Amino acid sequence: MNKNETLKWLHNQEDNLIVVDERMTDIKGCTRGIYGIFVNDGGIEKCVYVGKTDNFYSRMFKGQGHICRLRRKTHFIEELNNITKPKKVIFKILEEVPFIYDNYYKDLQRLASAETYHINKYQNIDQCLNQVPEGTKVTEKEWKEAKLTYEKNKN
């Protein structure tokens, strides 16, 4: 029997404001792949985050996992910390990306490429817009300053 308190909390929600793909709750599953976090507001669903993981269960229910953060109301996507009806937060597996075990670097790149594909897919329809690539060093403030300089200099 799974003794994870966050998983118990999720299953005991009375209002079902958080919906999680059941495959993510399998402690024995080591499913690797891409997941999306969506907000459903009265039937209109919007992607707010896309992530990659080597283990969906751990990424959701351990330590700083997404569901753990929601339970503590400390999620880095502020909108998710105060969800009330009719809104729901939905966690979906967008793509499973299993290890092929042909080459270490190729296996890691497959996961990174799949994540980039899904981020691009949602950003192209104006969703998932708070997401920046891993390793980004430019802050939003620096970007805005550079944009102003660029616009001033292009004329």
Side-chain angles (χ1 to χ4, degrees):
M1 181 172 163
N2 189 328
K3 296 181 181 178
N4 184 296
E5 291 298 320
T6 300
L7 185 61
K8 287 179 190 172
W9 171 82
L10 176 72
H11 285 149
N12 290 329
Q13 295 178 87
E14 291 181 20
D15 45 16
N16 292 317
L17 296 179
I18 303 168
V19 179
V20 177
D21 184 314
E22 280 299 313
R23 295 173 291 173
M24 292 178 172
T25 66
D26 182 4
I27 193 169
K28 294 177 184 171
C30 293
T31 308
R32 174 180 110 122
I34 310 304
Y35 61 92
I37 304 175
F38 298 81
V39 172
N40 185 309
D41 187 1
I44 298 171
E45 198 167 270
K46 174 182 82 169
C47 181
V48 295
Y49 185 80
V50 170
K52 67 181 183 292
T53 185
D54 287 322
N55 183 308
F56 289 114
Y57 178 85
S58 292
R59 188 65 186 102
M60 298 301 138
F61 296 103
K62 290 189 175 181
Q64 294 298 312
H66 288 289
I67 309 298
C68 295
R69 287 174 177 243
L70 286 178
R71 181 178 178 208
R72 294 188 304 264
K73 295 190 181 296
T74 59
H75 201 280
F76 55 87
I77 300 172
E78 198 60 42
E79 171 185 14
L80 302 181
N81 292 322
N82 299 303
I83 291 292
T84 57
K85 283 186 178 184
K87 292 183 179 180
K88 288 183 183 256
V89 179
I90 303 170
F91 290 81
K92 296 181 183 182
I93 294 176
L94 301 176
E95 181 179 353
E96 292 186 20
V97 185
F99 285 113
I100 305 297
Y101 296 111
D102 59 340
N103 179 281
Y104 170 77
Y105 299 98
K106 287 168 62 175
D107 257 346
L108 296 183
Q109 186 60 45
R110 285 183 192 103
L111 187 63
S113 295
E115 179 186 37
T116 299
Y117 165 80
H118 288 283
I119 291 170
N120 288 339
K121 174 182 164 183
Y122 287 105
Q123 287 189 344
N124 283 334
I125 57 172
D126 290 331
Q127 297 181 23
C128 199
L129 294 178
N130 293 318
Q131 192 128 12
V132 294
E134 222 174 276
T136 298
K137 301 290 184 209
V138 177
T139 66
E140 186 175 5
K141 180 181 178 201
E142 292 167 332
W143 179 85
K144 286 178 179 177
E145 289 168 356
K147 179 182 177 188
L148 288 173
T149 301
Y150 168 78
E151 290 173 347
K152 186 170 98 176
N153 292 334
K154 78 176 182 178
N155 295 330

